[in-house]
Amino acid sequence: MTDESRGIGGTIGPPWSVDVLADLHAGVLDDVRAAELWPLVNADPEARAILEALDATQADLASLAAAPAPPMPAEFAARLEAALAAEAAAAFPGKAQSSPHTAPEQAGPGNAPVVDLAAARRRRNKRLGWAAGVLTAAAAAIAVTVAIPNTSSQTGNPNVAAPPPSGPSVGSDGSGAQALVGKAVGVRDFGPLQNEDRLDACVAAAGLDPKVRPEGIRPVNVGGKAGVMIILTTGKLAQFRLVAFGADCGPGNPAVLFDKVVGEK
């Protein structure tokens, strides 16, 4: 970002540079600088308004992943049907279908042999059933391709698409997570875990006490993986324990992405 209109030179503070607020919001500042800035930002209504706008933009972008896929255009559907019909015709060349209301012809000079009407109907129904099956399978394959492009699978369940990461980005080892503490305290956003019951199952699987209520809960992007970070107190002033769980955590699978203590030692 290259906002040079505000907050350039001297001590960073009101009026705030949008660049600085965006970097703080994304968690890319070092822990010491972020710890200095959060109290100042939280005390400034204008800075908070900018951060809320960034939150709203981030939420709008995340919602695009869950938007329903548009229906296939009629033009392409018609082309697909025509191609399948051509394949069916090529698979059964020269197979004339008898009308169910047409009486069989007698064999004779210049005439075709006598055809059993019931047998002709069975062959016709078999061909129609085959073509319908091809259409159904092709339509299902196209629907899957359009609805869930480029999705990966969660560990242990190949049929469930992994949710896209949301929230601020932090390192795979939790680096940069300390900068999120000031903004996350008091927040209860379960992100990909959706509700408190699922989070409690993850907490219990990690050997923690689900009865201890976190000071804050928010989704985070941990090295490209969707996660949910909780903030726990340690009994020491200005010190917190940050634990992030993967979206696939649950009973017997804590899926801890990082577990670290930050703040005053």
Side-chain angles (χ1 to χ4, degrees):
M1 302 178 68
T2 57
D3 179 10
E4 299 180 353
S5 61
R6 308 169 61 199
I8 300 300
T11 302
I12 294 180
W16 291 94
S17 165
V18 177
D19 285 354
V20 172
L21 293 178
D23 290 343
L24 182 64
H25 179 270
V28 299
L29 299 180
D30 62 78
D31 292 349
V32 175
R33 191 58 174 275
E36 294 175 352
L37 293 181
W38 272 118
L40 300 175
V41 169
N42 287 330
D44 188 328
E46 183 178 358
R48 293 293 303 169
I50 294 174
L51 291 177
E52 289 170 3
L54 291 172
D55 278 338
T57 301
Q58 190 174 68
D60 289 342
L61 293 175
S63 68
L64 293 177
M72 178 184 293
E75 175 187 357
F76 298 115
R79 291 182 183 178
L80 174 63
E81 292 182 3
L84 291 173
E87 288 294 327
F92 301 96
K95 299 289 187 178
Q97 296 182 5
S98 300
S99 167
H101 303 295
T102 303
E105 297 182 1
Q106 299 296 325
N111 292 330
V114 175
V115 177
D116 179 81
L117 185 57
R121 286 174 175 172
R122 286 194 296 271
R123 289 195 299 272
R124 179 197 61 191
N125 293 337
K126 183 178 180 180
R127 289 195 296 269
L128 291 177
W130 176 87
V134 172
L135 283 171
T136 301
I142 291 172
V144 171
T145 302
V146 172
I148 51 172
N150 299 325
T151 54
S152 58
S153 298
Q154 292 182 358
T155 302
N157 191 346
N159 296 320
V160 178
S166 61
S169 297
V170 299
S172 298
D173 60 351
S175 57
Q178 182 175 354
L180 307 178
V181 173
K183 190 177 180 183
V185 169
V187 174
R188 297 186 66 80
D189 183 349
F190 298 99
L193 295 182
Q194 300 179 351
N195 56 59
E196 191 169 36
D197 289 340
R198 287 190 60 189
L199 176 61
D200 286 347
C202 301
V203 170
L208 303 174
D209 186 357
K211 295 181 181 179
V212 176
R213 296 294 86 185
E215 296 298 308
I217 305 166
R218 69 164 304 159
V220 286
N221 178 346
V222 185
K225 295 180 180 179
V228 175
M229 184 183 75
I230 63 172
I231 303 173
L232 303 172
T233 57
T234 64
K236 294 184 178 180
L237 183 64
Q239 186 183 84
F240 300 94
R241 182 179 180 181
L242 309 181
V243 185
F245 301 96
D248 59 342
C249 69
N253 178 31
V256 174
L257 300 178
F258 64 79
D259 183 347
K260 61 184 301 182
V261 174
V262 299
E264 298 295 333
K265 302 298 183 182

